[in-house]
Amino acid sequence: MRRSGGAELAPPPGLPPLTGEAQRDAAALCNALMTMRLPHRLGAAGPDAFDCWTMLCLLQHRLFAREVKIVSLPQAPRAAMAEAFASYRPAAEQWRAREGSPRHGDGVLMTHKDAPHHCGVFLDLDRGVVAHMAEHGGFSVDDRQALRLAGYTQLRFFQWASVRDCAPDLGLE
């Protein structure tokens, strides 16, 4: 998987094979990633560390066959990595705000006092969880209550949209 600027997004070795069953695949992948205890490192794109955006890209690619535009650090400040859903044009063309309840595979944008811009992927497991790469603790899968208790607030959900589904002029130059 190519990253903006030519770097590769490299999955860690030993990920479980996909079965075609969405929830089973998501649970198996999350369990494998938690077992690996991969650290968060800003700008990392695998295979031994990731940041929240590159983990979102890995999960989207692996579970949903989606090629998410990756914001490279030389092109954008840290805030733009997570705000890409709404503000970074190549990624904003792929996402739009979710109306109503989140669905399996939606992108999640959230804030935390220590990380004002953070993202993950909503998965329809155990009544809804967010898989994300936490700065302190690495890969994590948390329900909304656990996210609130950990200090994550203002969860916003974004659905995948093909470029042709989006408005022609997003006003994001």
Side-chain angles (χ1 to χ4, degrees), residues 88-125:
Y88 181 67
R89 187 168 184 93
E93 291 172 347
Q94 295 180 314
W95 299 95
R96 63 176 168 220
R98 163 71 65 196
E99 301 283 331
S101 298
R103 294 196 182 140
H104 192 64
D106 280 355
V108 183
L109 185 61
M110 56 195 130
T111 61
H112 187 277
K113 65 179 178 62
D114 296 331
H117 304 283
H118 186 62
C119 63
V121 176
F122 182 84
L123 299 172
D124 188 15
L125 303 173

Side-chain angles (χ1 to χ4, degrees), residues 1-47:
M1 297 169 49
R2 285 254 176 236
R3 230 190 124 125
S4 297
E8 293 285 333
L9 181 61
L15 295 179
L18 299 178
T19 66
E21 295 180 37
Q23 290 178 317
R24 180 178 287 176
D25 288 342
L29 180 60
C30 289
N31 285 334
L33 290 168
M34 286 189 295
T35 301
M36 291 176 188
R37 307 192 88 177
L38 300 168
H40 176 283
R41 190 170 62 239
L42 189 60

Side-chain angles (χ1 to χ4, degrees), residues 51-66:
D51 60 28
C52 64
W53 185 256
T54 56
M55 180 54 71
L56 175 143
C57 293
L58 177 69
L59 293 169
Q60 290 292 333
H61 176 74
R62 182 94 177 149
L63 294 173
F64 306 100
R66 298 172 179 162

